[in-house]
Amino acid sequence: MRIGNVWMSFWVTLTRILEDAINFIKRSTLKILSMGPIPNHVAFILDGNRRFAKKQKVVKGFGYKFGYIALMFMLKYCYELGVSYVTIYVFSIDNFKRSPQEVDAVMDLILEKVELWIRGEGFGYEYGIRLHFLGDLNLLSEPVREAVDRAMAATKNNNGAVLAICVAYTSTDEIVHAVERACEEKWDEIMNSKRVAVDEHGELKLITLGDVEKHMYAAVTPDPELLIRTSGEARLSNFLLWQTSCCYLYSTSMLWPEVNVCNFMWAILNFQRNHFYLVRKRKELKVVRE
């Protein structure tokens, strides 16, 4: 019995030592990475929750729950590294075509976690996170839509990092929405002023690039500098198409619930390796737009 207690004590002590060592290595590595350029805005495509559930032989709803745990770790790493904006692709408009059971599982999980944030029990209050939900929120059920509105209102005065959650979102829908709003705004302006705007060449000028961009769902954040996608896919899947022309895309073969700090660090390292090239491209794009 004594030998058993000794071994148990030994393994508990060893486990604590290993955990402390791993945490020390993680903090040290993040500190080293922080010496280089850090993306101001990181976007994530959370791909692979369903495949993870199938791999683990559990129902799809559990895949999303494990994905939420992975998300909390990724957000923690981002904010510890000094990332100011994070955007996550949670639910596409096209995802409403999936089975009602799967859609309900995702919506129930969103509602559950959003209510935690509203009550101040969520992860975000430690970092003073301000929430934005991007997409056609009218497509959400009334309970989810009301919870989303209350969450944004509850965090609007937070002055820490920003978390933008794309739900009921596609980039094509965002662009169409922005163009429609810009046209409506310009039309109202013309009707009120009784004159038509023209450019320096005397040509008709109804809406500008700036008119469209200010009506984008994602206008609340700067363009992302790093986009991380899991599951080995290297496509954007109708996510932030307008905003990612000069964004570094990092793809890992890991499924989203399996993603870890090593994947995140490797993404940051690859971003840093390509940083000066991306900066040059952004400057060139800015000149073209002006």
Side-chain angles (χ1 to χ4, degrees):
M1 188 67 178
R2 290 180 180 177
I3 295 177
N5 289 337
V6 169
W7 274 107
M8 179 63 71
S9 178
F10 169 77
W11 282 114
V12 169
T13 303
L14 181 60
T15 301
R16 289 176 179 171
I17 292 173
L18 289 173
E19 287 178 351
D20 290 342
I22 292 170
N23 287 331
F24 174 77
I25 293 171
K26 182 184 69 177
R27 288 194 303 269
S28 299
T29 306
L30 288 174
K31 187 68 175 178
I32 293 170
L33 286 174
S34 68
M35 300 299 178
I38 299 299
N40 183 48
H41 182 181
V42 176
F44 291 93
I45 298 178
L46 320 183
D47 191 20
N49 294 302
R50 297 196 300 169
R51 274 172 278 179
F52 176 82
K54 183 177 181 181
K55 181 179 176 181
Q56 300 298 323
K57 295 181 173 58
V58 296
V59 296
K60 293 175 182 177
F62 279 102
Y64 292 107
K65 290 181 178 180
F66 281 109
Y68 177 79
I69 295 172
L71 173 62
M72 293 301 100
F73 280 110
M74 286 299 109
L75 292 178
K76 185 174 185 292
Y77 301 145
C78 282
Y79 299 138
E80 286 181 352
L81 197 58
V83 176
S84 299
Y85 297 87
V86 174
T87 298
I88 57 174
Y89 199 9
V90 172
F91 198 81
S92 162
I93 291 176
D94 296 331
N95 292 154
F96 282 109
K97 299 175 184 177
R98 294 177 178 176
S99 69
Q101 294 82 2
E102 184 177 348
V103 173
D104 288 344
V106 175
M107 291 301 153
D108 288 345
L109 182 62
I110 292 173
L111 181 59
E112 174 189 340
K113 301 308 177 184
V114 168
E115 290 288 356
L116 285 177
W117 286 65
I118 294 171
R119 296 198 299 268
E121 301 173 11
F123 161 87
Y125 276 81
E126 179 182 349
Y127 295 93
I129 294 173
R130 187 163 69 256
L131 290 178
H132 291 285
F133 287 83
L134 314 181
D136 187 354
L137 304 184
N138 290 321
L139 295 177
L140 301 175
S141 65
E142 186 174 346
V144 176
R145 187 170 62 251
E146 289 180 352
V148 161
D149 289 338
R150 285 187 287 118
M152 289 191 285
T155 62
K156 67 179 182 180
N157 294 322
N158 291 356
N159 54 10
V162 171
L163 174 60
I165 302 172
C166 293
V167 58
Y169 171 96
T170 61
S171 189
T172 48
D173 174 72
E174 176 184 34
I175 294 169
V176 170
H177 163 84
V179 172
E180 288 178 343
R181 297 291 87 76
C183 289
E184 290 172 0
E185 183 180 70
K186 187 61 67 174
W187 179 254
D188 290 341
E189 180 184 319
I190 292 171
M191 290 296 98
N192 291 331
S193 63
K194 303 300 182 182
R195 62 185 179 85
V196 179
V198 295
D199 62 17
E200 63 272 17
H201 304 293
E203 297 179 355
L204 187 65
K205 186 177 182 181
L206 289 180
I207 61 173
T208 66
L209 186 65
D211 294 329
V212 174
E213 289 186 330
K214 73 179 182 180
H215 290 289
M216 289 284 184
Y217 296 138
V220 295
T221 67
D223 290 350
E225 298 173 43
L226 170 63
L227 191 152
I228 299 175
R229 175 161 191 162
T230 51
S231 299
E233 300 287 351
R235 53 193 172 86
L236 295 179
S237 296
N238 215 346
F239 177 56
L240 298 181
L241 301 181
W242 186 282
Q243 298 86 356
T244 51
S245 55
C246 292
C247 175
Y248 183 76
L249 172 61
Y250 173 79
S251 177
T252 173
S253 60
M254 304 290 285
L255 302 177
W256 175 253
E258 299 171 335
V259 74
N260 55 54
V261 67
C262 295
N263 303 124
F264 176 72
M265 290 177 179
W266 190 243
I268 297 295
L269 278 171
N270 278 275
F271 166 81
Q272 292 178 340
R273 287 175 56 236
N274 292 277
H275 179 254
F276 293 109
Y277 169 79
L278 295 169
V279 169
R280 187 172 76 249
K281 287 298 180 183
R282 277 194 290 272
K283 289 180 179 178
E284 292 174 359
L285 181 62
K286 184 177 181 180
V287 170
V288 171
R289 286 182 171 180
E290 291 176 350

